[in-house]
Amino acid sequence: PAFAPSLGAGDVREMDFLIADQKIFSCLELEVEAVALATRTATLGALGGSTSKAGAVVVARANDTRVNSLADLKGMIVQTLPMSAFTSFEIPRLDIARAGVELLADAAQVQVRSDNLTSMVQSVINGTIDVGFLPAGELEYGVGSAVDMSKLKIINSKNETSDGGSFPFHLSTSTYPEWPFAFLPKTTHDDTTVAEEVLKALLRLNSSHPISVANFIQGFSAALSYLPVHTLLSDIGWIQKNCTTKTRTCTTAVTNYDTITCPEGYYKEVEDVVHAQCDNKGYPCPAGLYCVCGPCKLSTPVEAHNGTGFRCSKMEVCAKVTQKESFTIHFVDNLKRGVPIEYRFLVETNNPEFPKSGTLYPNDRFEYNVTLGTADIGRNVLNAFIGGSQIQVSPFIVEVTETDCAEGHKATSAGECKKVFEIIHFPEWFRGLTWALGGISFVAATLCAIWTFINRNTKIVTASQPEFLYLVSAGCMVTSVSVAFVSFDEKSGFESTELTGFCNAWIWLYGLGYSLSMSALYVKTYRVRLLMIDAASGKRRVVFKLRHYLLLVLKALTVEAVILTLWISLAPLRWTRHCASNGNSSDEFCVSIGRCENANAMPFLVSFITLHLAQLLYLLWLCYQVRAIPQEFAEHKWITAACVSQVEVLLVTPLLVALTWQSPVTSSLMLAMALFLNDMSMLLTVFFPKVHMTHFQQTTSQYMVREEILFRMRKEVREVKDSLEEKAGKGRANLVEKALGAVSPPKRAFRVISTPEAKARRATECNSVTNSNQSQEHSHSSVCGSRANLRKPLPSSSCGRGVPAVGAGGALPLRTTAAAAARSSVHSGAGNRGRTPSPAPSSRGSTAQISFPQRGSVVSTIINRSLDVGESRRSIRTPSSNARNALDSRV
């Protein structure tokens, strides 16, 4: 039997006995005083066993992680049997309400079907719906055999007792008594007697009785209490109390809309609104089903919600808008009184477009609408009154935020956007320029290193010590990379933490690259001074191994690294942004600039610059000391030019950066240009002269002969000094010093000690040079002989006596003693002009005294400084034959 809406109290009184579901019996018990004689005991069919209680099971997809409890049904699509069904709808509805969810108010959609539970379960598995409600037991002997149970999960699974044991079915809700067998009492005694006999007969029924088999029951048991059913129906609003008569009656349901009942505190929307709700919310109803979407609403006399459907509550935020942005509040009079509503918007600024107070009138649906707006930032209060009384949800809050303005603009108190903030970024041309400068420096340094490697065996590069040229190129490469890090800011796509890393990275790259280049030039010049001056003068013991000089480079890098480590550890640079102007209020203009800075970094910066200046000044002092050594060895002129350029850059750049500190583009450009000039000045002064002399300088046969002789002389310097360092004892060293002399000369002369083989070789060289010189002007005559013959060519026999000839420009076509060449110094000039040298002695073991006509001559500089003689007119004595032979053998 099912509930028949047409069944009235008059029809019921004509009955004597009735078996019906719990919901119908409770209403009959309330209205006609029906009495429950017995409670049905349901059978489990093939499963065996029985139970006299009923419940519901709630199922969902096994892989749906959204639904794990009854409280998760808010916003879900639910499908059930008719809402008038007690077991499959009313029981789970009450348990869900106890979990905090009102099904007919909070579920997204409730779909109602009349039959075919298999289709319901299949819809759950397919994902068409989220949750399904079934009577307990249907999964076991009804639907379970037709679907894959592994794809389902039971929501809120429970284990309750029934008839002295555990409930035999899957269960999600509380249990209530099964259907009752009811007696409708009459006033006669016979009716009561008949009722007693009927009860006895019911209790004698068993599962094999034809009546039990026909009705799928186990039998009947003594009637259980149906008070829990009565309480449930009162809670869900099915049983309502008449406030006037104080009586309780059940809801009369004729249509599906009539079966919708709302609990206390909620009211039911009008029928046409209920029917249109699902389409309005985007939940179309499947064919053949009846659907509702939130038909129950909180039963406040007047509701208020914003334009998005959000329900406003007392002293809660009802709407969020920006300055001068409009918002709409909807009021609904659930009591349908049709009286006006007055509102007051408590704001300070007046806006004619949006009055701060006014009166609203309802439409035919008893709805009121008001559109407001304000420029007052913060939380503003909106109050509403109906019939002179404040409505229940009033007042509520309207939160106003600052107008969303474009970058660099800020909203004023009136809500207007005003340009008050400008972010200065590095322009694209600046980034391209800095990368171009760094690229040019890097490519130039790389080409210089490659050129050095290709020409490493040429005389020019060999004399310039290519190992140190490689270090100079490597240092410039490292420094050139630092230029790229100057051009980065937020517009490049980096965060502030990354930009902070770039700030410290370019300091490390510049510092180490600069130290590597300058220490290489310093050690290169220092090595030349040791070999060409200190070794010849006997001031100190000279180390010739290259690794000892490279160790000095490593020490310089270590000092630089220690200063940088202390800097980065104690006062690291950080990328920061702040206003370049003094804009403090929100309406003042601010220019935001970003740069690397740290207020505590100044001591380290001063130490950094001071260290570099000290390196440059000491290198200049070394260049001064070796100023008279041939350029092929010392390159003091070009290194001096490089040092002067570095000093200028190092002194001027901090001043320019400080003057342009408020303009990050200009100050960064100054810094990038300084790094570029630092590299290029060093590369041009160190490598360009060598490239020019190697590939572009015009040469004559005389020049080639002179260069060849110079090259052999330089080689002898290295060979003899290595030999003296390794083999010569103290006595032999004293002998050599005695033969060569160690006094600074007031005159310029040189000593030639010859062996027969050397004399023959020099004769050949002298003849070739003399023949070449005969075509030259007399001002460039040979200097073989005394100073009185400088203005005319000398006879070739002069060379035969061991006196060499000097070609144009002071070139010396002879092999002077290695020790004399190694002791060449800075003294050259016209100090001996006009003086006549001593006459040449015999050819065997002879010693000659010669001056040279050109002050700036490369060879004269080497030879004149190499000599050590006594008084100006005194002839130089020939050393003993043993000493001469020992020295000649080394030559």
Side-chain angles (χ1 to χ4, degrees):
F3 174 71
S6 61
L7 188 63
D11 298 328
V12 169
R13 294 186 184 278
E14 300 297 325
M15 298 179 183
D16 295 311
F17 298 96
L18 176 71
I19 183 170
D21 75 349
Q22 302 90 326
K23 190 173 185 179
I24 296 175
F25 169 74
S26 294
C27 290
L28 294 177
E29 183 184 28
L30 185 64
E31 295 180 6
V32 297
E33 299 180 349
V35 178
L37 294 179
T39 299
R40 185 180 70 174
T41 303
T43 183
L44 303 184
L47 299 177
S50 61
T51 178
S52 59
K53 289 191 175 181
V57 59
V58 181
V59 296
R61 291 189 306 280
N63 59 356
D64 191 349
T65 58
R66 300 173 303 162
V67 185
N68 298 295
S69 66
L70 296 179
D72 297 332
L73 267 62
K74 187 174 183 178
M76 299 296 169
I77 299 177
V78 178
Q79 194 172 110
T80 181
L81 290 174
M83 287 182 283
S84 59
F86 179 78
T87 303
S88 60
F89 182 75
E90 303 293 13
I91 292 178
R93 178 186 175 186
L94 181 61
D95 279 21
I96 292 170
R98 289 171 178 169
V101 178
E102 174 49 49
L103 191 64
L104 294 180
D106 298 328
Q109 186 181 53
V110 177
Q111 300 177 0
V112 178
R113 65 168 54 248
S114 59
D115 55 9
N116 199 350
L117 296 179
T118 301
S119 297
M120 179 194 297
V121 175
Q122 194 63 49
S123 297
V124 173
I125 295 175
N126 295 339
T128 306
I129 61 175
D130 300 316
V131 177
F133 295 167
L134 295 88
E138 287 294 335
L139 289 178
E140 286 75 9
Y141 62 83
V143 178
S145 59
V147 297
D148 186 357
M149 293 294 296
S150 64
K151 296 182 179 180
L152 295 174
K153 64 179 177 181
I154 307 301
I155 306 301
N156 195 43
S157 180
K158 302 181 71 173
N159 184 18
E160 293 205 2
T161 59
S162 175
D163 302 322
S166 298
F167 193 77
F169 305 128
H170 289 299
L171 185 67
S172 300
T173 65
S174 303
T175 56
Y176 294 84
E178 263 284 357
W179 286 21
F181 188 95
F183 164 62
L184 279 72
K186 303 293 190 295
T187 57
T188 62
H189 176 73
D190 294 337
D191 293 338
T192 304
T193 303
V194 172
E196 292 176 354
E197 294 298 327
V198 170
L199 175 59
K200 294 177 182 179
L202 291 174
L203 296 178
R204 289 195 296 267
L205 289 176
N206 55 37
S207 59
S208 60
H209 194 280
I211 296 178
S212 299
V213 173
N215 289 276
F216 302 101
I217 61 175
Q218 184 76 16
F220 287 90
S221 62
L224 300 177
S225 173
Y226 287 87
L227 179 61
V229 177
H230 184 88
T231 303
L232 182 152
L233 296 176
S234 298
D235 290 340
I236 64 175
W238 184 261
I239 297 177
Q240 296 179 348
K241 180 180 180 180
N242 190 313
C243 296
T244 303
T245 62
K246 306 297 181 179
T247 59
R248 293 180 177 273
T249 58
C250 289
T251 300
T252 301
V254 177
T255 64
N256 285 319
Y257 176 77
D258 294 336
T259 62
I260 299 173
T261 58
C262 297
E264 187 176 357
Y266 289 82
Y267 71 93
K268 184 169 65 173
E269 292 273 19
V270 295
E271 186 172 3
D272 55 347
V273 173
V274 171
H275 294 160
Q277 278 178 330
C278 290
D279 290 334
N280 295 337
K281 294 181 178 180
Y283 294 103
C285 188
L289 302 182
Y290 177 72
C291 303
V292 292
C293 297
C296 293
K297 301 293 184 182
L298 284 173
S299 59
T300 54
V302 179
E303 280 190 344
H305 56 87
N306 59 27
T308 62
F310 179 80
R311 186 181 293 116
C312 302
S313 301
K314 192 179 189 71
M315 293 306 297
E316 298 291 337
V317 177
C318 179
K320 292 183 178 182
V321 294
T322 59
Q323 288 177 296
K324 299 185 69 175
E325 180 184 1
S326 63
F327 61 94
T328 301
I329 300 297
H330 301 279
F331 296 97
V332 178
D333 182 10
N334 294 321
L335 302 181
K336 301 177 175 56
R337 287 168 287 186
V339 297
I341 290 179
E342 296 179 355
Y343 73 89
R344 297 172 189 169
F345 194 23
L346 307 181
V347 293
E348 294 182 1
T349 58
N350 294 317
N351 190 340
E353 184 180 357
F354 306 114
K356 295 192 293 184
S357 61
T359 302
L360 307 177
Y361 297 92
N363 56 20
D364 56 354
R365 299 172 62 87
F366 301 98
E367 296 176 347
Y368 307 76
N369 298 320
V370 58
T371 300
L372 299 172
T374 182
D376 292 355
I377 298 176
R379 295 193 166 195
N380 300 285
V381 177
L382 178 61
N383 215 338
F385 304 85
I386 186 170
S389 301
Q390 188 175 18
I391 65 176
Q392 186 176 357
V393 296
S394 174
F396 44 81
I397 306 299
V398 177
E399 187 173 323
V400 180
T401 58
E402 189 177 273
T403 301
D404 188 14
C405 298
E407 184 179 16
H409 294 71
K410 185 176 180 63
T412 63
S413 57
E416 303 292 339
C417 289
K418 179 182 178 182
K419 187 175 183 180
V420 295
F421 189 76
E422 182 179 1
I423 299 178
I424 302 298
H425 290 294
F426 291 138
E428 292 298 329
W429 65 263
F430 172 77
R431 191 172 295 107
L433 177 60
T434 53
W435 278 75
L437 294 176
I440 292 173
S441 298
F442 188 86
V443 171
T446 304
L447 292 177
C448 289
I450 295 174
W451 179 87
T452 302
F453 178 78
I454 294 174
N455 298 276
R456 64 188 180 279
N457 294 324
T458 61
K459 299 174 185 178
I460 297 297
V461 177
T462 302
S464 300
Q465 307 177 71
E467 297 84 0
F468 297 105
L469 296 181
Y470 292 140
L471 294 180
V472 172
S473 300
C476 290
M477 290 180 194
V478 176
T479 307
S480 64
V481 176
S482 67
V483 180
F485 290 98
V486 179
S487 64
F488 293 128
D489 62 0
E490 296 91 345
K491 196 175 181 180
S492 304
F494 298 104
E495 300 293 335
S496 58
T497 54
E498 297 172 309
L499 294 173
T500 297
F502 294 156
C503 291
N504 297 288
W506 81 259
I507 294 180
W508 271 91
L509 291 172
Y510 164 71
L512 295 179
Y514 181 88
S515 181
L516 181 60
S517 300
M518 295 308 300
S519 61
L521 290 180
Y522 152 72
V523 174
K524 176 181 181 298
T525 308
Y526 178 70
R527 190 186 189 205
V528 169
R529 195 196 73 177
L530 291 180
L531 295 177
M532 305 296 284
I533 298 177
D534 294 357
S537 63
K539 293 181 180 179
R540 66 177 69 185
R541 180 177 178 272
V542 180
V543 178
F544 293 92
K545 299 296 184 182
L546 180 63
R547 66 174 179 271
H548 294 286
Y549 298 97
L550 294 179
L551 185 60
L552 295 177
V553 177
L554 182 60
K555 290 179 180 178
L557 289 176
T558 302
V559 172
E560 192 84 15
V562 168
I563 294 178
L564 291 173
T565 301
L566 292 175
W567 187 348
I568 300 304
S569 301
L570 301 178
L573 296 182
R574 291 184 175 86
W575 178 265
T576 57
R577 256 190 194 283
H578 57 83
C579 293
S581 62
N582 295 322
N584 295 321
S585 70
S586 59
D587 290 342
E588 292 186 358
F589 189 78
C590 171
V591 177
S592 173
I593 59 175
R595 59 193 171 201
C596 302
E597 60 183 4
N598 189 318
N600 300 322
M602 186 57 66
F604 298 97
L605 179 61
V606 173
S607 302
F608 196 61
I609 297 176
T610 303
L611 175 63
H612 289 181
L613 281 175
Q615 291 176 342
L616 289 170
L617 294 177
Y618 187 70
L619 183 54
L620 286 171
W621 170 244
L622 287 177
C623 290
Y624 176 78
Q625 289 180 317
V626 300
R627 65 189 182 278
I629 296 177
Q631 288 298 313
E632 294 87 343
F633 290 102
E635 309 172 69
H636 60 278
K637 292 182 180 179
W638 297 112
I639 295 178
T640 300
C643 289
V644 171
S645 174
Q646 297 291 325
V647 170
E648 292 175 348
V649 172
L650 201 58
L651 293 178
V652 173
T653 301
L655 297 177
L656 293 178
V657 172
L659 291 174
T660 60
W661 187 246
Q662 295 298 331
S663 175
V665 177
T666 306
S667 59
S668 298
L669 181 61
M670 294 295 101
L671 192 59
M673 291 296 297
L675 296 174
F676 173 74
L677 294 176
N678 176 81
D679 291 341
M680 295 307 297
S681 62
M682 188 175 298
L683 293 174
L684 290 176
T685 54
V686 173
F687 288 94
F688 179 76
K690 299 175 180 57
V691 175
H692 180 267
M693 286 188 292
T694 303
H695 301 289
F696 303 103
Q697 183 168 288
Q698 298 294 331
T699 59
T700 62
S701 59
Q702 175 188 351
Y703 176 80
M704 296 301 294
V705 172
R706 182 178 64 190
E707 291 299 316
E708 179 64 27
I709 295 172
L710 284 173
F711 181 75
R712 289 202 303 270
M713 291 170 62
R714 296 164 188 147
K715 183 176 181 182
E716 288 177 6
V717 171
R718 294 190 296 271
E719 292 174 351
V720 172
K721 286 304 175 183
D722 289 341
S723 177
L724 290 176
E725 180 70 24
E726 296 174 2
K727 298 179 180 180
K730 182 176 180 180
R732 183 168 297 177
N734 292 335
L735 180 61
V736 174
E737 289 297 331
K738 183 178 180 181
L740 298 177
V743 182
S744 301
K747 295 184 178 182
R748 286 170 178 77
F750 77 101
R751 178 179 300 149
V752 179
I753 302 175
S754 303
T755 62
E757 295 80 2
K759 287 190 291 184
R761 183 166 60 253
R762 286 198 299 273
T764 303
E765 297 169 352
C766 185
N767 290 335
S768 64
V769 177
T770 302
N771 294 334
S772 174
N773 290 339
Q774 289 176 355
S775 61
Q776 305 294 327
E777 295 180 1
H778 291 292
S779 60
H780 300 291
S781 348
S782 172
V783 293
C784 297
S786 65
R787 295 184 66 88
N789 298 322
L790 288 176
R791 299 186 181 277
K792 59 182 179 179
L794 295 178
S796 60
S797 60
S798 302
C799 295
R801 294 160 48 195
V803 181
V806 179
L812 179 64
L814 55 83
R815 295 167 61 98
T816 184
T817 60
R823 286 159 44 205
S824 61
S825 181
V826 298
H827 298 290
S828 62
N832 293 326
R833 291 183 180 178
R835 299 182 183 180
T836 304
S838 302
S842 61
S843 60
R844 177 176 176 79
S846 61
T847 301
Q849 187 177 27
I850 298 178
S851 295
F852 296 91
Q854 295 190 11
R855 180 174 181 177
S857 169
V858 174
V859 178
S860 64
T861 302
I862 297 176
I863 301 304
N864 292 334
R865 185 64 185 98
S866 312
L867 300 182
D868 192 358
V869 296
E871 298 178 0
S872 61
R873 296 293 182 179
R874 183 180 303 172
S875 299
I876 300 175
R877 296 182 179 274
T878 303
S880 65
S881 60
N882 291 336
R884 183 182 67 245
N885 293 337
L887 191 57
D888 283 346
S889 65
R890 304 197 185 288
V891 173

